[in-house]
């Protein structure tokens, strides 16, 4: 899967490598680069995220795709509202928060951000009638470097679970985790001009978590972090 995504990324970006497309600046066409934007500007993207769950959770290698819609709304003084919805129908992840973006120099950019996350899962097939709801904190920091047509962004994030409610048929728990440190992640996002106004992004995320919403049907909440890699390919709309 990773090899196919990388080949697709090279083909799409290479198609426009030799073309002279005017009026393009990756700082204005990026979804991840923490460069301040003009107040009132709205950016959004659609991403395919391939997530690889630990073998220990399901006793075999399992991966699944999640579709993510992401939107940014620029505010004055470098602030921005950031939101996203990642879904596989039975597993869903909604996040909403605020970021402060600042350009240290013309090519180097920094952001400090915080998001509230709400994960929910619904399984009503194969004789099951289970649901899960999770509230989380997600503080993060981003550091980006931009050329005119390409941008590289590093991201670090902490995942803290606030409250988890699980329902199994007619039995419901009040809060099975309490306030709990779930883990952390590191990400690298490479964004490249695709058309005159749009860009394509290839992302690699290393998650180290006790719980991931994609693995919730196995009811996996363990006492230490597992490595959960994620590969993304996204298109700015």
């Amino acid at each position: 899967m990773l090899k196919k995504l990388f080949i697709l990324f090279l083909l799409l970006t290479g198609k426009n490598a030799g073309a002279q497309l005017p009026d393009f600046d990756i700082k204005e066409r990026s979804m991840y680069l923490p460069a301040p934007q003009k107040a009132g500007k709205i950016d959004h993207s659609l991403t395919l995220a391939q997530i690889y769950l630990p073998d220990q959770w399901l006793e075999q290698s399992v991966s699944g795709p999640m579709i993510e819609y992401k939107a940014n709304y620029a505010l004055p003084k470098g602030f921005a509202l950031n939101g996203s919805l990642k879904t596989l129908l039975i597993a869903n992840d909604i996040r909403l928060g605020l970021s402060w973006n600042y350009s240290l120099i013309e090519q180097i950019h920094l952001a400090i951000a915080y998001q509230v996350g709400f994960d929910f899962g619904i399984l009503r097939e194969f004789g099951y009638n289970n649901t899960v709801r999770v509230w989380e904190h997600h503080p993060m920091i981003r550091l980006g470097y931009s050329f005119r047509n390409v941008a590289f962004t590093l991201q670090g994030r902490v995942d803290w679970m606030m409250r988890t409610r699980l329902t199994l048929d007619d039995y419901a728990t009040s809060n099975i985790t309490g306030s709990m440190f779930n883990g952390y992640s590191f990400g690298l996002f490479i964004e490249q001009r695709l058309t005159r106004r749009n860009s394509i992004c290839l992302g690699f995320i290393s998650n180290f978590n006790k719980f991931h919403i994609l693995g919730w049907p196995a009811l996996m909440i363990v006492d230490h972090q597992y490595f959960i890699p994620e590969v993304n390919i996204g298109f700015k709309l």
Side-chain angles (χ1 to χ4, degrees):
M1 181 65 182
L2 176 60
K3 183 178 179 181
K4 292 180 180 178
L5 287 175
F6 185 68
I7 292 174
L8 177 61
F9 180 77
L10 292 178
L11 289 174
L12 290 173
T13 56
K15 179 180 179 180
N16 295 304
Q20 297 298 317
L21 301 178
D23 304 325
F24 186 95
D25 189 339
I26 194 66
K27 291 196 294 291
E28 300 176 0
R29 309 298 178 185
S30 167
M31 290 299 299
Y32 293 92
L33 185 72
Q37 303 295 318
K38 183 178 179 181
K41 183 172 181 283
I42 300 176
D43 295 300
H44 53 138
S45 66
L46 197 62
T47 297
L48 174 65
Q50 187 73 17
I51 301 164
Y52 299 84
L53 297 178
D55 297 350
Q56 297 89 337
W57 285 13
L58 300 171
E59 299 182 352
Q60 59 181 332
S61 297
V62 175
S63 66
M66 296 186 77
I67 302 297
E68 180 181 27
Y69 173 78
K70 181 179 176 66
N72 299 328
Y73 179 75
L75 300 172
K77 300 185 182 299
F79 288 94
L81 289 174
N82 313 114
S84 66
L85 167 63
K86 187 183 291 184
T87 183
L88 189 60
L89 298 182
I90 66 168
N92 306 274
D93 180 354
I94 300 173
R95 298 184 186 183
L96 181 65
L98 184 70
S99 64
W100 177 70
N101 306 274
Y102 183 74
S103 294
L104 301 174
I105 60 174
E106 184 178 356
Q107 293 179 304
I108 300 179
H109 318 278
L110 175 70
I112 299 172
Y114 167 79
Q115 292 182 332
V116 173
F118 176 61
D119 296 346
F120 67 96
I122 303 172
L123 182 59
R124 294 197 172 124
E125 301 292 340
F126 313 110
Y128 292 97
N129 185 20
N130 302 343
T131 63
V132 66
R133 289 176 285 176
V134 183
W135 288 95
E136 294 180 300
H137 296 290
H138 298 291
M140 70 180 75
I141 187 170
R142 284 180 179 160
L143 181 66
Y145 189 92
S146 63
F147 298 94
R148 185 163 186 83
N149 297 327
V150 182
F152 300 87
T153 301
L154 295 172
Q155 174 182 281
R157 189 187 71 224
V158 172
D159 302 322
W160 194 283
M161 300 175 73
M162 294 184 288
R163 184 179 180 87
T164 303
R165 181 178 175 85
L166 178 66
T167 302
L168 305 174
D169 292 322
D170 296 328
Y171 174 75
T173 64
S174 58
N175 189 1
I176 61 176
T177 61
S179 180
M180 182 185 78
F181 176 64
N182 185 33
Y184 55 93
S185 68
F186 300 103
L188 169 64
F189 303 95
I190 306 169
E191 294 175 283
Q192 156 80 42
R193 166 199 271 175
L194 180 62
T195 67
R196 179 174 177 175
R197 296 187 178 277
N198 299 316
S199 61
I200 184 173
C201 176
L202 186 64
F204 304 90
I205 304 174
S206 296
N207 300 288
F208 299 88
N209 294 120
K210 299 177 182 179
F211 170 82
H212 194 286
I213 188 60
L214 189 60
W216 85 268
L219 305 180
M220 290 304 304
I221 300 177
V222 296
D223 59 358
H224 63 279
Q225 284 82 25
Y226 280 91
F227 175 51
I228 306 173
E230 181 178 334
V231 181
N232 293 349
I233 183 166
F235 301 89
K236 186 177 180 302
L237 304 176

